[in-house]
Amino acid sequence: MTWLLPRLLQALAAALFGFLLGAAVRGTTGFEGLGLGVGVVTGVGLLLLLDAVRGHRLLSWLRGNQQDNAPRDTGLWGELGYRVERAMRDRDRAVARGRVELEQFLSAIEASPNGVLMLDAQEHILWCNRVAADHFALDPKRDLQQRITNLVRAPAFVAYLQAGRFAEPLVLGNGRGPGTLSIIVREYGEGQRLVLTLDITERLRSEAMRRDFVANVSHEIRTPLTVLSGFIETLHTLPLTAVERDRVLVLMNQQTQRMQTLVADLLTLAQLEGSPRPAPDRWVALDGLLLRIAADAEALSAGRHPLRLKPETGVELAGVESELLSAIANLVTNAVRYTPDGGEIEVAWRLLEDGSGELTVIDTGRGIAREHIPRLTERFYRVDGSRSRETGGTGLGLSIVKHVMQRHGGELMIESEVGKGSRFRLVFPAARVRLASDSVLGDEAAFSGAALSDH
Ligand code: ADP
């Protein structure tokens, strides 16, 4: 009520002024009534004029953009102006706060890995994030307020939106390419819809790979099992001579070994997938590995090929010994198995300029056609299935090699020409290659350092 006192004072001042003017009029004219009339009219008129001026000032401010303060009058008009201004400033602040919160909320949705799109009741696009725009091949600005079914014309999507049954997500080929989208719609507000999109291409691919893998494993195991049960049946029902029995037993043994190799390779793959990355400080002498591999390869070749498998590298590799052995041995045994008698097989080593190292297994065998090369490291992929099985192959060897190299930060590279032969290169990163002589120096330095620090 701070405005009341100035208001009373103003009224009092106007009344006093009116009274004095009335008294002066009465004194000069002698008409008492005229003096009273002039006094009242003047007092009230003065008050009205004052109100009109202040009211006009406040109205002018309200009509404007209210950037500056409201007129700072005393009394009722001043109080009114101040209250109106405060209410407006509070509202502006609340609107600004709301806008910031909305922007933060939208940028959080924008950062979502999933697509988010909002539709009004007539299916016009109200907002969409970049992922949704990419999934539906939309322009996130230009296509706002457009009807989505005019832009995304896939019949399955249009029918899904129109049917209004959103309990199950819709699986849709991505308009932009070979990918697949999962689309979920939720209704909110008054007929508005929230459309969520998720790119499930990778998930479908890995599910398909898993299914293929299980089917392949089952097939690979079932074949020798069928053969074995056939032989058992034969042994059981037919009166065989001792020679025939021995022959059947040899064949049964071959099938069992085939299954054993398959299970061993599967276990190796499972172990590779499940175990941590090889430590970078466990050093394995490459020459020692090559000696062991050469002995096995010589036995497998049985003198059918000229072999040069023991280069003196003087190098150590950082990693898991059994994995490195398995990777190199797979390449060397493949070379023996896929090289006709008389073909040459060689293992070469070289240090590259950047400190990395390259082990190459070279053969002059049958070679591999260009179109097969990118697929060789897929599980169970074989160029010639019967040749692979004949020689005890599982179709898993090169995928084991690739896996081992990836885990060691290296790479498997394949070059081959049909009829001329193949080169399988294993490239190890510099951090995992050192000269064995350096290791002795390094170990001595470490030892003398330790000895010094002991004293
Ligand atoms: P497998 O057990 O069948 O040998 P791998 O994964 O080791 O399986 O090899 C995949 C396929 O690559 C083989 O089936 C074979 O067709 C081909 N291959 C591998 N190494 C050689 C090579 N040195 N020369 C020719 N073909 C090869």
Side-chain angles (χ1 to χ4, degrees):
M1 297 290 266
T2 47
W3 56 273
L4 191 60
L5 187 64
R7 183 82 182 154
L8 284 175
L9 287 175
Q10 283 163 9
L12 215 61
L16 188 66
F17 184 73
F19 172 75
L20 291 176
L21 194 70
V25 170
R26 192 188 54 196
T28 44
T29 62
F31 291 117
E32 189 155 335
L34 182 65
L36 188 66
V38 169
V40 169
V41 167
T42 309
V44 172
L46 264 177
L47 262 186
L48 283 177
L49 187 69
L50 210 64
D51 278 350
V53 170
R54 291 178 163 184
H56 175 73
R57 270 219 302 261
L58 185 58
L59 271 177
S60 309
W61 177 78
L62 279 172
R63 281 194 202 108
N65 56 13
Q66 296 106 37
Q67 293 288 7
D68 44 358
N69 292 337
R72 289 282 177 258
D73 288 321
T74 50
L76 179 63
W77 291 105
E79 181 79 11
L80 263 177
Y82 171 71
R83 297 279 164 204
V84 170
E85 180 187 334
R86 215 171 70 168
M88 283 176 138
R89 299 278 181 254
D90 286 351
R91 191 203 56 194
D92 287 352
R93 265 196 295 273
V95 169
R97 226 179 8 248
R99 194 172 297 140
V100 169
E101 279 169 10
L102 180 68
E103 267 163 23
Q104 282 173 350
F105 180 68
L106 289 180
S107 28
I109 303 181
E110 186 67 67
S112 156
N114 298 340
V116 181
L117 187 140
M118 293 169 190
L119 298 177
D120 69 10
Q122 285 72 43
E123 291 166 359
H124 294 122
I125 302 171
L126 296 174
W127 186 85
C128 73
N129 68 357
R130 235 166 299 156
V131 180
D134 187 50
H135 285 166
F136 286 130
L138 299 172
D139 183 319
K141 291 215 173 80
R142 195 195 55 208
D143 292 337
L144 287 188
Q145 299 306 331
Q146 301 288 322
R147 193 185 278 268
I148 186 138
T149 42
N150 289 343
L151 302 169
V152 182
R153 289 167 181 269
F157 178 70
V158 176
Y160 182 68
L161 269 190
Q162 281 166 1
R165 285 189 297 277
F166 304 126
E168 291 295 318
L170 169 73
V171 175
L172 187 74
N174 187 345
R176 283 228 152 157
T180 308
L181 293 177
S182 167
I183 298 174
I184 298 170
V185 176
R186 292 285 173 269
E187 287 172 303
Y188 70 99
E190 290 163 10
Q192 286 105 313
R193 286 165 183 188
L194 182 71
V195 182
L196 302 170
T197 60
L198 178 66
D199 190 337
I200 54 168
T201 319
E202 260 316 298
R203 200 182 79 198
L204 292 183
R205 213 168 62 93
S206 63
E207 276 171 12
M209 270 172 66
R210 197 174 44 81
R211 271 198 308 274
D212 284 357
F213 182 69
V214 172
N216 277 323
V217 171
S218 316
H219 174 76
E220 293 289 332
I221 290 184
R222 202 170 45 212
T223 316
L225 269 181
T226 316
V227 179
L228 272 180
S229 71
F231 283 142
I232 291 170
E233 179 90 22
T234 311
L235 286 175
H236 207 65
T237 51
L238 293 181
L240 299 178
T241 63
V243 180
E244 283 168 335
R245 264 177 85 85
D246 282 351
R247 221 166 59 88
V248 167
L249 285 174
V250 167
L251 293 173
M252 285 174 78
N253 189 34
Q254 271 174 8
Q255 297 302 325
T256 334
Q257 268 172 6
R258 193 174 144 189
M259 279 199 291
Q260 271 170 345
T261 321
L262 176 68
V263 171
D265 276 359
L266 286 171
L267 280 177
T268 307
L269 267 179
Q271 264 162 9
L272 289 177
E273 274 169 2
S275 46
R277 229 177 130 83
D281 55 355
R282 304 197 69 143
W283 295 92
V284 182
L286 178 57
D287 290 340
L289 292 184
L290 291 177
L291 278 183
R292 286 156 67 186
I293 291 166
D296 288 346
E298 276 154 16
L300 185 65
S301 166
R304 289 178 293 126
H305 312 92
L307 303 175
R308 276 178 289 149
L309 307 177
K310 292 173 275 190
E312 284 192 9
T313 67
V315 155
E316 290 180 334
L317 300 175
V320 181
E321 183 171 359
S322 57
E323 291 184 19
L324 296 170
L325 183 79
S326 155
I328 304 169
N330 257 306
L331 295 186
V332 175
T333 41
N334 273 357
V336 174
R337 285 165 46 221
Y338 296 110
T339 301
D341 295 357
E344 290 170 27
I345 297 159
E346 184 189 347
V347 171
W349 167 261
R350 67 179 179 135
L351 270 174
L352 304 179
E353 266 174 24
D354 60 0
S356 56
E358 184 185 86
L359 184 95
T360 315
V361 179
I362 308 154
D363 66 59
T364 57
R366 50 176 48 208
I368 306 159
R370 185 197 295 257
E371 67 270 19
H372 294 293
I373 292 179
R375 300 197 57 191
L376 290 181
T377 54
E378 285 175 22
R379 290 164 188 197
F380 297 110
Y381 189 83
R382 294 160 164 124
V383 177
D384 175 353
S386 56
R387 169 92 189 124
S388 159
R389 287 190 189 89
E390 239 172 59
T391 55
T394 59
L396 294 173
L398 290 179
S399 62
I400 291 176
V401 179
K402 183 182 170 190
H403 230 81
V404 169
M405 291 313 287
Q406 276 175 347
R407 283 166 50 74
H408 286 78
E411 227 182 320
L412 162 68
M413 286 186 271
I414 307 171
E415 293 152 30
S416 189
E417 211 174 313
V418 176
K420 291 208 169 154
S422 315
R423 272 171 183 266
F424 289 78
R425 289 191 287 145
L426 300 179
V427 181
F428 294 90
R432 288 191 180 267
V433 179
R434 75 175 183 186
L435 288 174
S437 51
D438 289 350
S439 79
V440 176
L441 281 180
D443 292 347
E444 272 173 10
F447 177 73
S448 58
L452 279 177
S453 65
D454 278 353
H455 294 289

